[in-house]
Amino acid sequence: MLTLDQLLAFLLAASLITISPGPDNLMVLSLGMSRGRKQGMAFGLGCALGCISHTLLASVGVSSLLLASPMAFTALRVTGGLYLFWHGVKALRSQGGATVPGNAADAPDQSALQLLWRGVLANAINPKVMLFFLAFLPQFVDASQGDVPWQLAALGVVFTLQAAVLFGSIGYFAGTVGQWFARWPAVALWFDRLAGLVFCGLGLRLMLMV
């Protein structure tokens, strides 16, 4: 269904974007540091599983739009490209995003299962994540292979799995990661820079495909 080149290119981009400091992984880090590994990993797994809903929307929506109106699909690609490029510019201009949120320790106590569902819901209803999936996944689809919906679905599952592994690792090693960020704050800045370059490159690629 996916070629090895497709898979490796997608994994590289997805992993870099996932690990770049952002609201989700910083919340996982904060919960892991304040509540413990189990809670941090549970919230991270929930955030990853929330991507399944966006995968379904992307698979059905993009495929239907492609079949129904090539012009509308072109508009979606241009809009998605601009959206990714804008995120890239923001990341390149960022002054670093490794500050761990301070509200996790003050929040009401929640079980690991509650945090899991909290992560699922927070991700599933986030319109920014939905827009990201609509812009990001189609770039790694090879239309010449056919089965576009299945390719999109496979890419979404791969994204979910790598996010679960990375978020789970951040939650498990939260103490070590937090100390690392505190000691070398410039590392987070360079993660932002790399992610920004990836976003800008993907955005330009998406717009030039038209």
Side-chain angles (χ1 to χ4, degrees):
M1 186 180 300
L2 298 177
T3 67
L4 182 59
D5 288 342
Q6 268 181 296
L7 182 60
L8 292 178
F10 180 77
L11 269 178
L12 178 62
S15 298
L16 180 57
I17 289 168
T18 300
I19 204 171
S20 179
D24 286 345
N25 52 23
L26 289 179
M27 190 63 181
V28 173
L29 179 61
S30 180
L31 282 167
M33 293 174 65
S34 63
R35 300 290 178 80
R37 291 173 171 173
K38 185 177 180 181
Q39 281 71 17
M41 293 175 69
F43 183 78
L45 180 58
C47 288
L49 291 176
C51 295
I52 294 295
S53 63
H54 302 300
T55 297
L56 292 174
L57 287 173
S59 300
V60 175
V62 172
S63 302
S64 300
L65 195 60
L66 178 60
L67 292 174
S69 173
M71 185 176 295
F73 182 68
T74 296
L76 175 65
R77 289 201 325 203
V78 172
T79 304
L82 289 171
Y83 177 77
L84 290 177
F85 189 82
W86 173 67
H87 269 286
V89 171
K90 285 207 309 180
L92 289 172
R93 296 177 63 186
S94 169
Q95 297 303 308
T99 303
V100 178
N103 60 347
D106 300 327
D109 286 335
Q110 293 179 302
S111 68
L113 183 59
Q114 288 175 316
L115 286 170
L116 173 71
W117 286 113
R118 178 181 166 189
V120 171
L121 183 62
N123 193 296
I125 65 175
N126 189 338
K128 292 183 179 180
V129 181
M130 180 183 68
L131 289 173
F132 169 76
F133 265 64
L134 287 172
F136 184 64
L137 295 186
Q139 297 187 66
F140 296 89
V141 170
D142 185 352
S144 65
Q145 296 185 51
D147 293 324
V148 170
W150 288 109
Q151 289 188 59
L152 287 166
L155 290 170
V157 170
V158 170
F159 190 97
T160 300
L161 291 175
Q162 64 84 32
V165 171
L166 290 177
F167 282 164
S169 299
I170 291 172
Y172 187 84
F173 296 106
T176 302
V177 174
Q179 292 175 3
W180 189 55
F181 273 151
R183 189 177 303 172
W184 293 294
V187 172
L189 179 62
W190 283 106
F191 271 127
D192 275 346
R193 297 292 184 266
L194 286 172
L197 290 173
V198 170
F199 275 127
C200 286
L202 291 174
L204 288 173
R205 178 175 179 268
L206 192 58
M207 287 184 283
L208 293 174
M209 285 172 61
V210 178

